[in-house]
């Protein structure tokens, strides 16, 4: 009697779990499916004139993507985004990787304070810091330029580079550089020629993380580029939204913006997790 | 006299130690400096500018007064600011627990062993890979009025879903609905972060602890109450502190989805771009910053008090 009761309870637990799982998967996949659906929708499946919007387009088409690839504004925004992101990666790595090595290896006085500084930079509300940064950049004539946006994105990127790279450098044995120094290499030489090549895969993950951060970033790009000629993809999306365009155009740009992110995220998932929960360590 | 000398010698020793320390680590300090200077420069610029701006009043005829607290007084009397302030508090107080609950449900679902766990885990982190503005725009499309997918669904126009409402809901012209949709987007996108933190908390609890409890005759509920919950408190605290800060400063979802009902974050944008007032924008920013600091400190104390209450040795 009690045994059947137990298996019954176990069974019902399993069913609850399964139902929960299915609901969760639907909630997660639904918006993503809708984005792809809208991006390949033809005009009649979007502007239905009151009829039900179909869950699958009447006539799937790639016309939105073809249109985007011929659209000069989109192409320019795409390449601006790319330039900003690459420049951000370069500055963040050049500044951040040596700093991470230093924090991982040396007994720096005030190290705890520096870690607190990094966490506070990460947690500092960007909607608040954007005003003083924009005002300062206007004076320095850095608005509406790729460099200006990259400098602002670097501020957000450096803490992540340091977190991820510190973890990478800590896994590299100390003996390696000590032996190189015994053989007569300078500290700088040992760092550049021995440590960096070994750390490269981990640093690549940091680079991708910062690339995505800059690629997705909206607030600083929006404030710094609003009145200029060049815009990044997220800002372009916002600008187009205010002209109230057709939904399939919006979705197609969204797809172009997200696909690189989705691909790269799965490549660096392991490190992404460290980045996402960085600052969680107390 | 002698005591003074000892103190002096000790001081000298400390300074000597520091000098030796610096000399020994000179290379480390050298390569740390650029990044440190970069961050410090920005920090100084941000704090200095925000304080100067918020204490500067620009009259309609563009004459500037400094220092004055007129900006703060003006905002305290402004209906728009009070509204945004109230909405932000509600948004944070409702949204933060929701993020925790969503993360706990997701973590609970994938904690047990099953086939394809790795894939499901990746799937659950997928929202993190969708840029915030894209999520916001998809929700903008789905929650369109009068003809959007969600309205279609709730009106019972699809055969597989029951009819719930008879007239379409104007999602964007009500504070509750528009901020509700924005909150849904926020929770949807950030769920993986809460999930990962809770999951690492769950994984730190060993099987032995449960086995020991079982031998002592603890039921499932008691196990949850006396083992899972207390040991999970650090992870829960982390989620609550980090997520509540994110909730306070939320921008992109209310910006796209609830344009007529600004939160403090979106009010900063409005002050800067629509009222053309950098000083007022900075003032709102400074207030938001203070809110975050006070709230987080308060939350921190409550959580450590709670931990002491729950973990009794």
């Amino acid at each position: 009697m009690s045994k059947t009761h137990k298996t019954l309870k176990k069974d019902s637990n399993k069913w609850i779990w399964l139902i929960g799982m299915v609901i969760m998967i639907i909630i997660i996949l639904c918006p993503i499916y809708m984005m792809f659906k809208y991006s390949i929708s033809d005009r009649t499946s979007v502007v239905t004139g009151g009829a039900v919007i179909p869950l699958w387009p009447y006539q799937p088409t790639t016309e939105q993507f073809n249109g985007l690839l011929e659209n000069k504004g989109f192409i320019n925004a795409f390449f601006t985004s790319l330039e900003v992101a690459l420049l951000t990666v370069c500055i963040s790595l050049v500044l951040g990787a040596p700093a991470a090595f230093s924090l991982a290896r040396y007994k720096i006085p005030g190290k705890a304070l520096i870690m607190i500084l990094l966490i506070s930079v990460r947690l500092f509300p960007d909607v608040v810091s954007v005003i003083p940064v924009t005002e300062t950049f206007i004076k320095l004539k850095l608005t509406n330029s790729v460099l200006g946006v990259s400098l602002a994105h670097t501020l957000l990127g450096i803490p992540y580079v340091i977190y991820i790279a510190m973890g990478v450098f800590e896994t590299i044995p100390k003996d390696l550089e000590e032996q190189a120094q015994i053989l007569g290499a300078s500290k700088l030489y040992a760092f550049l020629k021995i440590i960096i090549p070994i750390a490269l895969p981990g640093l690549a993950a940091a680079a991708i993380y910062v690339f995505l951060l800059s690629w997705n970033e909206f607030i600083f790009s929006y404030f710094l580029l609003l009145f200029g000629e060049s815009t990044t993809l997220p800002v372009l999306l916002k600008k187009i939204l205010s002209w109230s365009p057709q939904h399939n155009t919006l979705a197609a740009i969204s797809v172009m913006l997200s696909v690189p992110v989705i691909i790269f995220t799965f490549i660096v998932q392991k490190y992404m997790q460290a980045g996402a929960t960085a600052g969680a360590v107390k | 006299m002698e005591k003074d000398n000892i103190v002096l010698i000790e001081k000298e020793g400390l300074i000597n130690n520091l000098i030796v320390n610096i000399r020994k680590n000179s290379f480390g300090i050298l390569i740390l400096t650029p990044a440190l200077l970069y961050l410090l420069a920005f920090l100084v610029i941000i704090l200095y500018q925000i304080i100067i701006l918020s204490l500067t009043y620009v009259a309609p005829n563009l004459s500037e007064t400094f220092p004055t607290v007129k900006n703060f007084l003006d905002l305290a009397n402004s209906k728009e600011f009070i509204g945004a302030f109230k909405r932000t508090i509600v948004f944070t107080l409702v949204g933060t627990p929701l993020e925790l609950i969503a993360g706990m449900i997701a973590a609970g679902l994938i904690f047990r062993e099953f086939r394809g766990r790795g894939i499901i885990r990746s799937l659950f982190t997928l929202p993190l890979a969708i840029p915030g503005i894209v999520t916001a725009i998809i929700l903008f499309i789905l929650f369109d009025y009068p003809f959007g997918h969600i309205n279609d669904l709730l009106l019972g126009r699809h055969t597989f879903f029951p009819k719930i409402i008879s007239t379409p809901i104007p999602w964007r012209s009500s504070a509750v609905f528009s901020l509700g949709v924005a909150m849904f987007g926020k929770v949807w996108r950030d769920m993986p972060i809460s999930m990962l933190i809770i999951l690492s908390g769950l994984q730190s609890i060993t099987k032995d602890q449960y086995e020991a409890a079982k031998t002592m005759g603890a039921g499932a509920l008691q196990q949850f109450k006396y083992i899972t919950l207390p040991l999970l408190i650090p992870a829960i605290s982390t989620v609550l502190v980090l997520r509540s800060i994110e909730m306070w400063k939320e921008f992109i979802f209310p910006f796209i989805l609830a344009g007529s009902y600004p939160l403090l974050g979106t009010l900063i944008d409005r002050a800067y771009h629509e009222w053309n007032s950098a000083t007022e924008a900075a003032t709102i920013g400074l207030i938001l910053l203070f809110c975050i600091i006070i709230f987080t400190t308060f939350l921190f104390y409550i959580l450590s008090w709670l931990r002491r209450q729950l973990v009794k040795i």
Side-chain angles (χ1 to χ4, degrees):
Chain A
M1 181 66 199
S2 86
K3 205 170 187 183
T4 50
H5 182 75
K6 223 174 190 175
T7 46
L8 212 72
K9 202 176 162 191
K10 223 175 180 180
D11 263 15
S12 74
N13 272 349
K14 207 175 172 185
W15 277 108
I16 291 171
W17 175 80
L18 203 65
I19 292 168
M21 200 61 149
V22 169
I23 292 175
M24 201 70 176
I25 291 174
I26 289 176
I27 292 177
I28 287 172
L29 283 184
C30 208
I32 300 168
Y33 165 76
M34 282 299 168
M35 172 175 76
F36 284 103
K37 189 216 88 172
Y38 268 105
S39 73
I40 54 166
S41 285
D42 54 313
R43 203 185 140 77
T44 49
S45 343
V46 179
V47 188
T48 54
V52 178
I53 301 164
L55 293 178
W56 180 253
Y58 297 122
Q59 263 157 351
T61 162
T62 56
E63 62 181 18
Q64 288 303 324
F65 293 104
N66 298 339
L68 282 182
L69 292 180
E70 283 161 18
N71 184 322
K72 234 179 149 194
F74 173 80
I75 298 289
N76 283 341
F78 189 89
F79 281 107
T80 309
S81 272
L82 207 62
E83 278 171 39
V84 168
L86 290 177
L87 192 57
T88 306
V89 169
C90 291
I91 308 175
S92 308
L93 277 185
V94 167
L95 292 174
F101 182 70
S102 164
L103 287 171
R105 273 296 148 79
Y106 291 92
K107 286 197 186 88
I108 303 292
K111 184 174 164 181
L113 213 66
I114 295 169
M115 296 315 280
I116 290 174
L117 174 75
L118 287 179
I119 293 178
S120 42
V121 168
R122 189 184 111 62
L123 292 179
F124 201 93
D126 37 7
V127 263
V128 176
S129 54
V130 74
I131 301 290
V133 168
T134 310
E135 288 289 301
T136 313
F137 277 19
I138 287 174
K139 279 179 207 149
L140 298 173
K141 298 206 169 22
L142 277 169
T143 49
N144 301 323
S145 76
V146 169
L147 179 67
V149 183
S150 302
L151 287 177
H153 287 180
T154 302
L155 173 70
L156 307 172
I158 282 182
Y160 287 100
V161 171
I162 294 184
Y163 275 125
I164 298 174
M166 262 178 85
V168 176
F169 287 132
E170 270 159 12
T171 60
I172 299 173
K174 224 175 179 175
D175 310 351
L176 230 53
E177 38 179 318
E178 277 168 5
Q179 275 171 20
Q181 278 165 31
I182 290 169
L183 292 176
S186 71
K187 279 180 177 166
L188 185 68
Y189 185 87
F191 175 65
L192 289 178
K193 296 279 167 164
I194 295 166
I195 303 294
I196 291 282
I198 301 173
L200 222 47
L203 291 181
I208 293 176
Y209 195 92
V210 173
F211 182 91
L212 296 183
L213 185 120
S214 165
W215 182 262
N216 293 345
E217 209 282 332
F218 178 76
I219 299 176
F220 278 100
S221 316
Y222 179 64
F223 274 73
L224 292 173
L225 295 176
L226 187 58
F227 302 111
E229 290 283 298
S230 53
T231 103
T232 61
L233 274 184
V235 181
L236 179 78
L237 205 50
K238 162 64 190 147
K239 280 186 180 169
I240 290 182
L241 184 70
S242 45
W243 308 333
S244 55
Q246 270 182 35
H247 289 163
N248 46 0
T249 315
L250 281 174
I253 303 176
S254 300
V255 169
M256 298 292 262
L257 187 62
S258 323
V259 165
V261 189
I262 296 173
I263 294 170
F264 278 132
T265 304
F266 282 96
I267 297 175
V268 288
Q269 207 179 24
K270 202 175 82 190
Y271 297 93
M272 193 89 174
Q273 204 170 317
T277 49
V281 264
K282 273 188 230 139
Chain B
M1 190 69 187
E2 210 167 88
K3 219 178 179 182
D4 280 359
N5 270 340
I6 291 173
V7 171
L8 245 162
I9 290 168
E10 267 181 0
K11 254 189 192 166
E12 237 168 57
L14 273 177
I15 292 167
N16 272 340
N17 265 345
L18 193 69
I19 291 170
V20 169
N21 198 347
I22 289 176
R23 206 171 279 160
K24 219 164 94 188
N25 297 311
S26 57
F27 180 68
I29 293 169
L30 194 73
I31 60 176
L32 177 68
T33 314
L36 205 59
L37 281 182
Y38 193 89
L39 295 181
L40 280 176
F42 264 98
L43 205 66
V44 168
I45 287 176
I46 289 168
L47 291 179
Y48 173 78
Q49 280 270 15
I50 207 160
I51 290 169
I52 296 287
L53 280 172
S54 62
L55 293 179
T56 309
Y57 174 73
V58 183
N61 61 2
L62 293 181
S63 63
E64 291 183 12
T65 0
F66 175 86
T68 164
V69 288
K70 189 155 171 27
N71 286 325
F72 291 91
L73 296 177
D74 280 356
L75 281 176
N77 291 322
S78 137
K79 258 194 189 142
E80 238 171 332
F81 174 78
I82 300 291
F85 188 72
K86 282 181 186 160
R87 280 190 289 271
T88 310
I89 289 178
V90 174
F91 193 78
T92 307
L93 289 182
V94 177
T96 313
L98 275 183
E99 292 225 358
L100 177 69
I101 293 167
M104 281 181 98
I105 292 175
L109 283 174
I110 65 174
F111 183 57
R112 63 155 74 184
E113 297 284 334
F114 58 91
R115 239 190 313 157
R117 187 175 169 204
I119 296 170
I120 296 289
R121 198 190 148 104
S122 299
L123 188 82
F124 275 18
T125 49
L126 197 57
L128 213 56
I130 310 288
I133 184 153
V134 169
T135 310
I137 287 203
I138 298 167
L139 291 178
F140 183 88
I141 295 173
L142 291 182
F143 286 88
D144 208 5
Y145 171 82
F147 306 117
H149 267 294
I150 302 295
N151 268 333
D152 272 1
L153 202 65
L154 294 177
L155 284 167
R157 300 173 84 178
H158 291 288
T159 43
F160 58 86
F161 202 83
K163 182 175 171 166
I164 292 175
I165 49 170
S166 50
T167 48
I169 297 174
W171 298 104
R172 282 193 274 284
S173 43
S174 121
V176 176
F177 283 133
S178 57
L179 287 172
V181 174
M183 194 183 292
F184 173 79
K186 178 75 181 154
V187 173
W188 184 85
R189 190 180 133 76
D190 289 349
M191 180 277 291
I193 302 175
S194 321
M195 180 190 81
L196 291 173
I197 298 173
I198 298 279
L199 209 57
S200 68
L202 279 176
Q203 272 151 359
S204 69
I205 306 173
T206 56
K207 275 217 172 88
D208 305 359
Q209 283 161 305
Y210 287 111
E211 305 261 304
K214 258 188 216 164
T215 22
M216 287 186 210
L221 198 70
Q222 277 171 312
Q223 282 177 38
F224 181 78
K225 194 178 161 194
Y226 291 109
I227 298 179
T228 316
L229 203 58
L231 288 175
L232 215 53
I233 288 279
I236 292 177
S237 312
T238 312
V239 170
L240 286 179
V241 169
L242 288 181
R243 291 296 97 203
S244 64
I245 296 176
E246 296 283 328
M247 279 289 168
W248 275 106
K249 66 183 197 188
E250 182 48 28
F251 180 77
I252 191 73
F253 286 102
F255 182 61
I256 301 285
L257 294 163
S260 332
Y261 304 96
L263 302 178
L264 285 180
T266 32
L267 195 68
I268 292 177
D269 164 68
R270 184 171 288 186
Y272 195 75
H273 287 128
E274 280 176 31
W275 310 344
N276 264 324
S277 167
T279 53
E280 266 175 304
T283 314
I284 302 169
L286 198 61
I287 294 172
L288 177 60
L289 197 62
F290 275 121
C291 285
I292 294 178
I293 292 170
I294 292 167
F295 182 84
T296 309
T297 318
F298 183 64
L299 188 65
F300 206 77
Y301 275 105
I302 288 193
L303 286 169
S304 48
W305 176 82
L306 201 70
R307 196 189 301 188
R308 279 199 304 276
Q309 291 294 309
L310 272 170
V311 186
K312 283 177 189 145
I313 309 163

